[in-house]
Amino acid sequence: MAARRHRQNDFRDRACDVADDEIFVSDGTKCDTGNILDILGAKNKIAISDPVYPVYVDTNVMAGHTGEANEAGTYAKLVYLPCKPSNGFIPSRRKSMWDVIYLCSPNNPTGAAANRRSSRRG
């Protein structure tokens, strides 16, 4: 019922056709970010952009996917994709192997936005 009201009030008023089964109602993205790990399984190699929204790392730590933190505060079982001025703050995804990647675009906290070309795994 709530999804139907939301679709009517937020999408149809803007001439967007969205079916009831295309709306996912949850208790928030932080919980969703952690819960998706249960669906994807525990044996995945996880990649994150760096810097990144902390919940992407924290949920993997809590799920036991990272191992212990080293002295620098990074985790050996995560693949860190650097976002630096030299790459326009858009992580390169060539040459790395992983199963799951957390992409936040525009990147938090840099504000850089990936385009279609930079979003493709290469």
Side-chain angles (χ1 to χ4, degrees):
M1 185 68 154
R4 194 170 304 133
R5 279 194 309 264
H6 183 68
R7 180 182 73 171
Q8 175 64 38
N9 295 331
D10 200 39
F11 295 104
R12 285 196 179 150
D13 290 347
R14 292 171 174 81
C16 296
D17 185 27
V18 178
D20 288 347
D21 64 353
E22 295 176 314
I23 298 173
F24 178 75
V25 179
S26 75
D27 58 348
T29 57
K30 287 183 183 179
C31 293
D32 294 341
T33 301
N35 294 336
I36 193 72
L37 297 171
D38 294 334
I39 295 170
L40 299 175
K43 295 182 180 180
N44 292 304
K45 186 72 172 176
I46 308 292
I48 59 163
S49 55
D50 183 28
V52 72
Y53 183 53
V55 74
Y56 300 152
V57 174
D58 297 347
T59 53
N60 279 280
V61 171
M62 290 185 286
H65 297 173
T66 62
E68 296 294 318
N70 63 25
E71 289 181 17
T74 61
Y75 297 88
K77 293 184 180 179
L78 288 180
V79 175
Y80 291 88
L81 305 173
C83 297
K84 310 178 278 191
S86 61
N87 64 8
F89 299 103
I90 304 295
S92 172
R93 291 176 310 286
R94 298 182 177 111
K95 299 183 184 178
S96 291
M97 298 303 294
W98 58 82
D99 302 303
V100 177
I101 182 172
Y102 289 89
L103 291 177
C104 184
S105 181
N107 184 307
N108 182 357
T110 68
N115 60 29
R116 183 180 298 235
R117 183 176 176 203
S118 66
S119 298
R120 292 192 177 138
R121 185 172 177 176

